[in-house]
Amino acid sequence: MLSLLQPQWAIWQHLSETVLWDYISNSLLLAFGVGIGTLILGTSLAWVCHHYEFAGRSAFEWLLLLPMAMPAYIIAYCYTGLLDFAGPLQSALREQFGWAYGEYWFPEVRSLGGAVLMLTLVLYPYVFMLARNAFRDQAQSLLEVSRAAGLGPTGYFIKVAVPMARPAILTGVALAMMEAFADFGTVEYFGVSTFTTGIFRTWFGLGNAQAAAQLSALLTTFVLLLLLLERGSRSKIKYYYQGQKHHPQKRLATTPLLSALLLLFCLVVLAAGFLIPLFMLINWVWMTGAGQFDGHFMTLMWNSFGLALAAACLVLILALLFAYGRRLRPDALVKVPVTLASMGYAIPGTVIAVGVMLPLAWFDKSLDALMQTWFGVSTGLLFSGTVFALLLAYAVRFLAVSLHQVETGLERIKPSMDQAGLSLGVGPLKSLQRIHLPMMKASLLSAILLVFVDVLKELPATLILRPFNFDTLAVRTYELASDERLSDAALPALSILVAGILPVIILARAMNRDPR
């Protein structure tokens, strides 16, 4: 944000005359399109799974979360391979009906609308997950009172259930919109100019890091504005349940026809968001054969998994320090910095990469100049252009994920346990080691897994900050897909997807502890 104090008017004039409006309009249309899409899809699926009893409902409660494991850029590659002019679908249509190029209309997947659809298909689980939990918390007595007042299922859904679940739904929509603002791989592959692609081109195309930083500051302003709007919209909305007894709502029995329709609805969404892309990846891997399992692929696996594991451990240690510090000293002096540190997840990876690279590059250059002046020795790049910069960016980006899991684990331990430890002469550090950590094993494992997979999927920050000649699965997938070698990109993409399924299953199991 400090870069705005030194605006580069020539660059801004050039951008405003060429692509700046495209960056702004496309970024806003993408974010709001994804917001509307995830709102409709996530809320309707959550209501269907919560309110109706139909064939396969319990399985769909966790199956519908699987698209979370699918990075948006990978689903974009899959549907491009399926729906492009040379893809199997259009080829089959031309062969069947004898059409030639230009004699028929087919929707263009490489477009802004296509990007909105791709992101909606993988981001709707945010809304689905939060809305279903909110619906589940609504009591049976509420439904009975609504029926007595003459409201049918549709009226109850519109006038009671959705308004009461509104804070959770808005949170899910805001998360999806932030992810849309942060997306780089999908929009870059589809040729849609947004802020993230603009930052990348300004830095590497124009070679102007300062202008890239100022574009990043502008994008950050949009994201923070969205965050403030989301928090402001639900700040005055609070619902409380009276009484100690809470009877969950009973699901409605369905006719065979309605059951089949609801099953088909869930199946279509699951197929579009997960099964079809998975089938495409497996088919491509099968076609390209076992020749891809070579030394280079093993290096990619080693780089990716090693980097993800190191980042997950580093972020977990930081989260433990912050969460335990806030537990020991719940005052503003600790709360404010911890809260600020946990806001990194709302910042796009491209912006964080710019924010990390500029000060590290300045420090490296200053240190090198100092060492050459004093000792005649060049230190080179010690921090920028090394794994250190990547780990720092990941820590900023994903600290909130780990912090949430650690704090959830700590909240389950009664403060009396801390007091008992103190009365026995055990200090805070030993208390953490002997009491808290053993009782938080599940939370710590979840924190490591979630950050591990997020780092494995992360593309823009890795692309910008990776050391020279250091590739990961995500970067290799992006490079091969950019060269239109989609079938060759399938193996690293499938590896990322398989690794991402495990945390989703753990999350689904934790969510599906249904009291009914």
Side-chain angles (χ1 to χ4, degrees):
M1 299 296 284
L2 293 175
S3 65
L4 291 176
L5 298 177
Q6 294 180 324
Q8 297 199 345
W9 298 115
I11 289 291
W12 279 104
Q13 185 178 359
H14 169 71
L15 291 175
S16 65
E17 292 173 352
T18 52
V19 292
L20 184 59
W21 172 244
D22 286 341
Y23 292 163
I24 296 174
S25 60
N26 286 340
S27 296
L28 290 177
L29 286 172
L30 181 71
F32 281 98
V34 170
I36 293 170
T38 52
L39 170 67
I40 296 172
L41 208 55
T43 307
S44 57
L45 285 169
W47 179 249
V48 163
C49 289
H50 164 77
H51 196 64
Y52 297 100
E53 191 64 61
F54 59 95
R57 181 203 56 78
S58 58
F60 279 116
E61 283 195 332
W62 69 269
L63 284 173
L64 287 169
L65 291 173
L66 287 177
M68 289 181 77
M70 180 78 68
Y73 54 87
I74 290 180
I75 196 175
Y77 303 154
C78 293
Y79 274 103
T80 301
L82 179 66
L83 302 176
D84 238 5
F85 179 78
L89 189 57
Q90 288 202 55
S91 298
L93 288 173
R94 288 195 299 273
E95 185 178 343
Q96 179 68 27
F97 298 102
W99 294 336
Y101 176 74
E103 293 181 355
Y104 65 97
W105 177 85
F106 198 84
E108 178 56 63
V109 65
R110 297 192 193 215
S111 62
L112 178 60
V116 170
L117 179 61
M118 297 299 109
L119 288 166
T120 298
L121 286 176
V122 297
L123 294 178
Y124 80 81
Y126 285 114
V127 181
F128 170 76
M129 183 169 53
L130 294 173
R132 191 166 66 86
N133 286 345
F135 290 145
R136 195 167 61 182
D137 288 340
Q138 295 174 4
Q140 174 70 18
S141 58
L142 192 66
L143 182 60
E144 292 170 354
V145 170
S146 301
R147 285 175 181 167
L151 290 179
T154 307
Y156 174 76
F157 174 68
I158 296 173
K159 296 182 179 179
V160 181
V162 170
M164 291 193 68
R166 184 180 152 196
I169 293 172
L170 286 179
T171 301
V173 171
L175 283 172
M177 291 177 71
M178 286 178 201
E179 290 287 346
F181 270 126
D183 178 74
F184 171 77
T186 309
V187 291
E188 203 278 336
Y189 185 66
F190 281 178
V192 179
S193 297
T194 63
F195 271 112
T196 52
T197 59
I199 293 166
F200 198 81
R201 289 170 193 162
T202 305
W203 187 315
F204 292 99
L206 300 177
N208 193 324
Q210 190 70 10
Q214 291 174 10
L215 277 175
S216 302
L218 198 55
L219 174 57
T220 305
T221 305
F222 279 108
V223 174
L224 292 179
L225 189 61
L226 174 64
L227 197 63
L228 289 174
L229 284 174
E230 184 268 327
R231 294 196 174 182
S233 66
R234 60 187 173 90
S235 61
K236 296 180 181 178
I237 306 174
K238 292 181 180 178
Y239 298 102
Y240 300 97
Y241 298 104
Q242 294 184 348
Q244 297 297 319
K245 293 183 179 179
H246 174 77
H247 298 288
Q249 294 179 1
K250 297 176 182 175
R251 296 188 181 90
L252 289 182
T254 55
T255 62
L257 177 61
L258 181 59
S259 177
L261 289 175
L262 296 178
L263 172 66
L264 183 63
F265 174 47
C266 294
L267 194 58
V268 166
V269 176
L270 177 65
F274 187 78
L275 296 180
I276 292 175
L278 178 64
F279 172 78
M280 293 292 296
L281 291 175
I282 293 174
N283 185 46
W284 280 333
V285 170
W286 180 261
M287 287 192 304
T288 51
Q292 289 195 40
F293 291 93
D294 53 10
H296 185 235
F297 178 72
M298 298 310 295
T299 303
L300 290 176
M301 293 277 285
W302 171 258
N303 288 347
S304 302
F305 285 85
L307 189 64
L309 183 61
C313 293
L314 172 66
V315 173
L316 178 63
I317 292 171
L318 291 174
L320 265 174
L321 288 174
F322 288 163
Y324 195 57
R326 186 149 66 177
R327 181 182 176 95
L328 294 177
R329 289 195 57 181
D331 52 31
L333 195 63
V334 177
K335 275 185 178 178
V336 172
V338 173
T339 303
L340 289 176
S342 65
M343 291 178 67
Y345 197 71
I347 309 298
T350 315
V351 176
I352 290 176
V354 173
V356 166
M357 179 57 85
L358 289 180
L360 288 184
W362 174 85
F363 181 80
D364 277 342
K365 287 180 182 176
S366 302
L367 182 64
D368 186 63
L370 195 66
M371 293 297 288
Q372 288 199 36
T373 303
W374 286 3
F375 304 105
V377 177
S378 174
T379 56
L381 300 178
L382 291 178
F383 299 106
S384 59
T386 65
V387 173
F388 176 83
L390 273 175
L391 292 176
L392 181 58
Y394 294 150
V396 174
R397 178 92 167 93
F398 301 119
L399 178 61
V401 178
S402 187
L403 192 61
H404 174 73
Q405 297 296 320
V406 172
E407 286 189 328
T408 303
L410 279 174
E411 285 169 1
R412 292 178 185 146
I413 302 173
K414 294 180 180 179
S416 58
M417 299 291 287
D418 300 35
Q419 295 163 5
L422 287 173
S423 65
L424 293 173
V426 178
L429 192 59
K430 286 190 176 180
S431 177
L432 175 68
Q433 182 184 354
R434 295 180 181 178
I435 299 175
H436 298 83
L437 292 183
M439 297 177 72
M440 294 167 57
K441 284 180 181 175
S443 298
L444 300 180
L445 179 62
S446 299
I448 281 191
L449 274 175
L450 289 173
V451 176
F452 180 87
V453 174
D454 274 340
V455 171
L456 208 59
K457 294 189 296 184
E458 218 292 328
L459 177 61
T462 311
L463 203 59
I464 294 174
L465 296 173
R466 65 187 166 129
F468 178 72
N469 207 22
F470 183 90
D471 284 342
T472 64
L473 290 169
V475 171
R476 187 61 180 157
T477 303
Y478 164 79
E479 289 177 340
L480 290 171
S482 299
D483 293 339
E484 299 300 332
R485 296 168 58 188
L486 292 177
S487 57
D488 290 335
L491 183 58
L494 188 62
S495 305
I496 297 172
L497 178 61
V498 170
I501 290 176
L502 181 60
V504 174
I505 292 176
I506 292 173
L507 182 64
R509 288 185 60 185
M511 280 182 56
N512 286 339
R513 290 168 187 161
D514 197 329
R516 277 176 289 197

